[in-house]
């Protein structure tokens, strides 16, 4: 079943226009470290050390240092799928009219294994409606 | 400029004195700087002493219920509006998103706009959070002194909106933070704080805490050129008092930046400021909580003639909680002597002697306070909660790092003798993690989970140490800041955007209006067209109350009130 989902997801990605993410097709449909206990432990530490300042210690979007212009995502409810997670974290998010990306582009300074581990940790916090398994939905 | 409107004769006299080579200015004079706020609101915090008190009394408990909106306008802000508007001769000057606007205080019409573009490589750790925010302006002579985020001071002519000069401090040891994907060293100073004018000097608080921790300075600049006259180090150097309370290697990235405008005592010629936390938040590189780290989470006084630090008092030794003490110290008279009174994050108001920074007392002003059992007679915390273990479970403490009060300014009314506090009851779970270093910028090495409590706007009596009244606003957050007047009213806007005029003695709401826009700035009052006006800048989203209680979306506007 998992391989079927993966195949469908790959197909969907190939059918999409070329997106802004660098080498999106190199990103697997699902996080290869999903459920990996060691990765989750490491990702939790990285999340707290790097991401929580904006997204909050509980990943609920209630971090102190988020820009008011762009309320940070409640990552417990992240529903855009793993590929989109990787794209957003690597490229950042620009709020129209702002002088700076409110979500910085971390792709230049955090390597893929670190992002995979953080993603694996965030998956463990998923609430109802969250989606880490499917391809890009939005 | 007189206390009301500029008198031509005085201007001519000032111009003549300038021609004779004296230090006189045609516009805002030394005498104007020293005056209490009245028809004008020259200092961000109302006066030198940080009182946010106005001598205007046309709006008072007898007519506050009849206040009406005079005008509304917007400057199109893209992030929090944190500046208290500055008002000179009926014209409002307001900074937002690295722009400055001149606004007709009577009508709300925009007179001119000054724009500054940040450099292309602007960025870095926490920098999106800071970008576009400004907490005030200085005015002196004919100029407004505006600090753009990227460590530049813009002297802007008040009439024309054109820059007389722009001084860049990056080449003088104060680099701005850079996009960490483009720079090998993204550390830098960022200016969200406003400048302050004192006779002959523009004070510039230089802060890099939380963008990597380059150490903080108070800089004195020449009003005519922006050139640095002196710079005062908040972290004591080796050999200075307190210099041995840090590992030497931790000082270059030790933080302790002043990020809120301080106060000035003309008698002792001291600029008194609070300072930020020691950096990193995780204290393992700076003494693991066992060294005091004097200069950080401290109140520091600097002689503005010499630029020498005269004293430092540390309120949270070894600060492991991000309890920085940045708040504007209020300089008030007690028993005939000027004392420094600082309400701060710790949940206490700390009192110090202005002359030497010696400790007097600490009064608790919030209900729930667990991080410590009190302060000793010597001014040291008693029985602080043990620190969490790195990578281990977080500990719960109250108040949280947002503090009993935060950056939102407090006020003092010499007529009521009361201090007005934009306070909150909130806690946090707080833990330490590994300190990441990315593009040479050190990260916090700490995280928090907020425990929300309600916004509590309070009046507190410095003499008795007791809270006199409390307005529980029912939702998390902090009021944008306090204003109090000789008319006997205290004015604030809740974080959720409810503008309130209250009886300064009782806290009773005399007038309220829900604006629907978050308040992150204090109001100001002034005279225009013969009427007392109150102006409030609004902008942002409710937060740090990013929780379920507030439903407001992002908004931005300035709104003025008056009575007929």
């Amino acid at each position: 079943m998992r391989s079927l989902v993966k195949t469908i997801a790959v197909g969907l990605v190939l059918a999409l226009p070329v997106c802004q993410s660098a080498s999106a097709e190199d990103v697997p449909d699902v996080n290869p470290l999903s459920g990996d206990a060691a990765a989750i432990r490491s990702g939790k530490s990285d999340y707290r050390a790097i991401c929580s300042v904006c997204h909050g210690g509980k990943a609920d979007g209630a971090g102190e240092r988020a820009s008011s212009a762009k309320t940070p995502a409640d990552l417990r409810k992240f529903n855009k799928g793993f590929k989109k997670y990787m794209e957003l974290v690597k490229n950042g998010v620009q709020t129209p009219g702002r002088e700076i990306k409110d979500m910085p582009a971390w792709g230049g300074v955090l390597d893929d294994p670190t992002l995979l581990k953080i993603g694996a940790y965030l998956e463990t916090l998923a609430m109802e409606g969250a989606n880490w398994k499917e391809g890009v939905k939005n | 400029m007189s206390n009301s409107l500029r008198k031509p004769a005085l201007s001519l006299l000032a111009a003549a004195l300038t021609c004779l080579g004296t230090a006189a200015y045609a516009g805002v004079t030394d005498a104007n700087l020293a005056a209490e706020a009245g028809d004008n609101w020259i200092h961000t915090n109302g006066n030198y002493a940080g009182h946010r008190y106005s001598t205007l009394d046309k709006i008072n408990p007898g007519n506050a219920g009849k206040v009406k909106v005079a005008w509304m306008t917007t400057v199109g802000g893209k992030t929090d509006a944190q500046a208290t508007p500055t008002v000179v001769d009926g014209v409002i000057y307001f900074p937002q998103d690295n722009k400055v606007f001149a606004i007709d205080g009577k009508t709300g019409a925009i007179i001119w706009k000054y724009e500054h573009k940040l450099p292309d490589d602007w960025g870095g750790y926490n920098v999106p959070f800071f970008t576009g925010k400004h907490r005030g302006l200085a005015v002196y002579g004919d100029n407004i002194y505006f600090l753009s985020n990227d460590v530049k001071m813009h002297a802007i002519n008040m009439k024309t909106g054109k820059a007389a000069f722009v001084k860049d401090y990056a080449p003088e040891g104060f680099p701005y933070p850079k996009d960490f994907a483009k720079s090998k060293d993204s550390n830098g100073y960022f200016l969200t704080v406003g400048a302050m004018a004192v006779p002959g000097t523009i004070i510039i608080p230089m802060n890099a805490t939380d963008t990597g921790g380059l150490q903080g300075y108070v800089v004195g600049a020449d009003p005519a050129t922006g050139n640095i006259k002196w710079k005062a180090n908040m972290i004591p150097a080796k050999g200075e008092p307190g210099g041995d309370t840090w590992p030497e290697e931790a000082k270059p990235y030790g933080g302790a930046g002043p990020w809120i405008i301080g106060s000035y005592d003309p008698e002792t010629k001291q600029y008194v400021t609070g300072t930020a936390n020691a950096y990193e938040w995780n204290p393992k590189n700076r003494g693991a909580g066992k060294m005091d780290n004097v200069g950080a989470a401290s109140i520091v006084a600097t002689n503005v003639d010499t630029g020498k630090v005269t004293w430092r008092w540390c309120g949270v030794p070894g600060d492991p909680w991000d309890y920085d003490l940045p708040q504007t110290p209020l300089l008030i008279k007690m028993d005939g002597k000027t004392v420094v009174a600082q309400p701060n994050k710790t949940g206490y108001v700390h009192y110090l002697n202005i002359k030497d920074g010696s400790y007097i007392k600490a009064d608790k002003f919030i209900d729930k306070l667990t991080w410590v059992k009190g302060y000793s007679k010597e001014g040291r915390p008693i029985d602080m909660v043990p620190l969490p273990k790195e990578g281990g479970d977080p500990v719960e403490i109250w108040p949280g790092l947002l503090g009993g009060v935060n950056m939102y300014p407090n006020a003092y009314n010499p007529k009521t003798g009361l201090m007005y506090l934009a306070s909150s009851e909130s806690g946090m779970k707080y833990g330490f993690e590994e300190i990441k270093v990315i593009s040479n910028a050190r990260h916090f090495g700490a995280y928090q989970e907020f425990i929300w409590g309600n916004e509590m706007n309070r009046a507190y009596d410095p003499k008795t140490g007791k809270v006199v009244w409390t307005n529980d606003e029912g939702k998390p957050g902090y009021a944008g800041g306090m204003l109090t007047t000789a008319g006997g009213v205290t004015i604030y806007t809740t974080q959720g955007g409810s503008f309130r005029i209250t009886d300064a003695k009782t806290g009773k709401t005399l007038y309220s209006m829900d604006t629907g826009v978050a308040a992150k700035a204090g109001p100001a009052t002034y005279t225009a067209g013969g009427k007392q006006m109150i102006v409030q800048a609004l902008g942002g989203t409710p937060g740090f109350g990013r929780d379920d209680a507030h439903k407001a979306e992002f908004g931005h506007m300035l709104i003025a009130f008056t009575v007929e």
Side-chain angles (χ1 to χ4, degrees):
Chain A
M1 183 64 188
R2 182 165 174 160
S3 62
L4 177 60
V5 171
K6 184 174 179 178
T7 302
I8 293 171
V10 169
L12 285 172
V13 169
L14 290 175
L16 288 172
V18 176
C19 74
Q20 58 186 358
S21 172
S23 61
E25 54 275 16
D26 297 336
V27 178
D29 292 329
V30 295
N31 189 342
L33 297 180
S34 176
D36 182 305
I40 290 168
R41 277 197 301 277
S42 177
K44 181 178 183 178
S45 176
D46 286 339
Y47 173 83
R48 285 176 162 177
I50 299 167
C51 315
S52 72
V53 59
C54 291
H55 289 279
K58 291 185 282 195
D60 58 356
E64 185 194 7
R65 293 303 167 84
S67 159
S68 283
K70 178 72 177 176
T71 303
D74 182 342
L75 298 174
R76 303 168 307 172
K77 300 174 182 175
F78 184 78
N79 67 354
K80 299 177 195 278
F82 177 69
K83 271 184 174 290
K84 191 70 174 177
Y85 158 79
M86 292 294 281
E87 177 194 322
L88 290 172
V89 176
K90 286 185 172 186
N91 295 338
V93 178
Q94 178 76 51
T95 308
R98 282 277 281 163
E99 300 158 288
I100 189 170
K101 284 185 175 181
D102 286 313
M103 166 79 174
W106 291 96
V109 288
L110 296 180
D111 59 19
D112 280 5
T114 300
L115 301 186
L116 296 179
K117 291 172 189 172
I118 292 171
Y121 167 63
L122 290 172
E123 272 195 66
T124 69
L125 307 178
M127 299 174 75
E128 186 177 349
N131 170 42
W132 287 88
K133 301 298 183 190
E134 297 179 17
V136 176
K137 288 180 75 178
N138 297 306
Chain B
M1 193 200 71
S2 70
N3 198 33
S4 56
L5 298 175
R6 186 175 299 178
K7 293 184 174 127
L10 284 179
S11 294
L12 286 171
L13 175 62
L17 289 171
T18 302
C19 291
L20 290 171
T22 71
Y25 286 82
V28 174
T29 65
D30 291 353
N32 296 140
L33 291 177
E36 293 293 327
D39 292 334
N40 299 294
W41 189 272
I42 289 177
H43 294 287
T44 296
N45 291 316
N47 65 359
Y48 278 151
H51 288 173
R52 305 183 72 84
Y53 166 79
S54 171
T55 57
L56 298 184
D57 60 3
K58 286 184 179 174
I59 296 173
N60 53 60
N63 63 9
K66 297 175 184 172
V67 158
K68 293 188 180 346
V69 173
W71 52 259
M72 292 187 285
T73 192
T74 184
V75 296
K78 300 294 188 296
T79 188
D80 295 349
Q82 295 187 341
T84 300
T86 298
V87 190
V88 182
D89 289 343
V91 177
I92 294 170
Y93 301 95
F94 186 75
Q96 183 67 48
D97 295 293
N98 291 289
K99 303 170 189 171
V100 180
F101 297 82
I103 300 167
D104 186 324
K106 187 177 175 185
T107 66
I110 292 175
I111 299 168
W112 54 252
K113 176 173 72 171
Y114 175 88
E115 290 190 71
H116 171 65
K117 187 179 181 301
L118 294 172
D120 290 341
D121 58 351
W122 171 256
Y125 186 46
N126 281 317
V127 173
F129 172 73
F130 299 120
T131 301
K133 294 177 181 175
H134 310 279
R135 285 188 283 280
L137 300 166
V139 288
Y140 196 26
D142 286 333
N143 291 333
I144 295 159
Y145 292 89
F146 166 60
L147 305 176
S148 56
N149 291 157
D150 55 340
V151 205
K152 295 182 176 73
M153 183 165 75
H154 306 246
I156 306 167
N157 183 281
M158 284 194 282
K159 293 278 187 205
T160 66
K162 307 295 183 192
F165 65 82
V166 178
K167 177 68 180 179
D168 183 0
Y169 296 103
E172 305 200 35
F174 298 105
Y176 61 81
K178 296 177 179 62
D179 184 336
F180 43 59
K182 297 177 182 173
S183 173
K184 289 181 179 174
D185 188 346
S186 68
N187 285 286
Y189 292 81
F190 61 94
L191 299 182
T192 52
V193 64
M196 184 177 188
V198 301
T201 302
I202 303 297
I203 305 287
I204 305 170
M206 288 288 186
N207 178 36
T209 312
D210 295 359
T211 51
L214 293 172
Q215 59 179 306
Y217 291 85
V218 171
V219 167
D222 183 339
T225 62
N227 291 341
I228 293 176
K229 296 166 67 177
W230 48 258
K231 55 181 185 181
N233 48 302
M234 299 295 95
I235 296 176
K238 193 173 185 178
E240 286 187 87
D244 58 354
T245 64
W246 296 77
E248 279 300 313
E249 62 274 17
K251 290 180 179 178
Y253 296 98
W259 59 274
I260 291 180
I261 300 170
S263 300
Y264 175 63
D265 177 42
E267 187 179 334
T268 61
K269 295 194 172 182
Q270 290 179 115
Y271 177 78
V272 186
T273 185
T275 64
N277 48 287
Y279 209 74
E280 303 89 3
W281 290 13
N282 181 335
K284 68 179 181 183
N285 293 331
R286 51 182 174 82
K290 295 185 173 76
M291 299 181 82
D292 281 2
N293 303 150
V294 168
S298 295
I299 301 172
V300 179
T302 302
N303 182 294
V304 303
D305 284 345
T306 65
K308 301 294 183 191
V309 170
T310 43
W311 51 260
R312 300 175 179 88
W313 180 80
C314 184
V316 188
D319 184 14
W321 312 114
D322 186 36
Y323 278 163
D324 46 346
L325 268 60
Q327 289 75 18
T328 301
L330 303 169
L331 308 183
I332 66 174
K333 291 284 187 186
M334 292 185 78
D335 300 324
K337 294 180 180 174
T338 300
V339 301
V340 178
Q342 191 205 43
N344 55 45
K345 282 189 177 184
T346 64
Y348 291 92
V349 183
H350 288 103
Y351 289 82
L352 308 174
N353 287 306
I354 185 111
K355 290 191 175 169
D356 59 5
S358 56
Y359 174 81
I360 300 172
K361 68 169 182 172
D363 291 338
K364 182 168 83 84
F365 64 84
I366 57 174
D367 294 333
K368 188 166 183 179
L369 191 156
T370 65
W371 74 278
V372 74
K373 290 182 178 171
Y375 274 79
S376 70
K377 286 187 295 185
E378 294 76 28
R380 292 190 67 84
I382 300 168
D383 290 344
M384 191 167 72
V385 168
L387 307 191
K389 184 182 171 188
E390 182 176 298
D393 293 333
V395 298
E396 179 177 327
I397 62 166
W398 292 66
L401 60 78
L402 298 181
V405 292
N406 197 282
M407 64 183 166
Y408 312 102
N410 306 296
Y412 173 73
N413 188 323
K415 287 186 77 174
T416 63
L418 300 178
M419 196 178 289
Y420 301 95
L421 305 176
S423 71
S424 181
E425 297 281 341
S426 65
M428 69 174 175
K429 289 185 177 178
Y430 186 76
F432 294 141
E433 279 293 342
E434 179 189 349
I435 297 167
K436 301 285 184 185
V437 181
I438 296 176
S439 300
N440 199 36
R442 288 139 183 83
H443 287 213
F444 293 161
Y447 68 96
Q448 79 284 338
E449 299 173 5
F450 293 129
I451 306 170
W452 303 115
N454 284 354
E455 174 182 333
M456 300 279 196
N457 295 303
R458 291 178 160 114
Y460 144 88
D461 187 338
K463 286 184 179 156
T464 64
K466 304 293 184 189
V467 171
V468 177
W469 55 258
T470 299
N471 287 343
D472 181 345
E473 309 296 351
K475 291 181 180 178
Y478 299 81
M482 296 290 176
L483 163 67
T484 188
T485 76
V489 292
T490 293
I491 303 160
Y492 60 86
T493 305
T494 68
Q495 185 124 125
S498 182
F499 173 82
R500 306 272 174 82
I501 303 177
T502 68
D503 186 312
K505 289 182 180 172
T506 67
K508 179 185 176 185
T509 298
L510 305 168
Y511 173 85
S512 71
M513 191 185 99
D514 289 334
T515 68
V517 182
K520 308 285 185 78
T525 188
Y526 62 96
T527 298
K531 295 177 184 174
Q532 182 180 353
M533 313 286 287
I534 302 164
V535 61
Q536 171 74 59
L538 301 156
T541 48
F544 312 105
R546 208 168 289 101
D547 56 339
D548 292 334
H550 292 282
K551 307 298 183 193
E553 294 290 324
F554 181 86
H556 217 284
M557 67 175 169
L558 275 76
I559 183 167
F561 301 85
T562 192
V563 284
E564 295 299 327

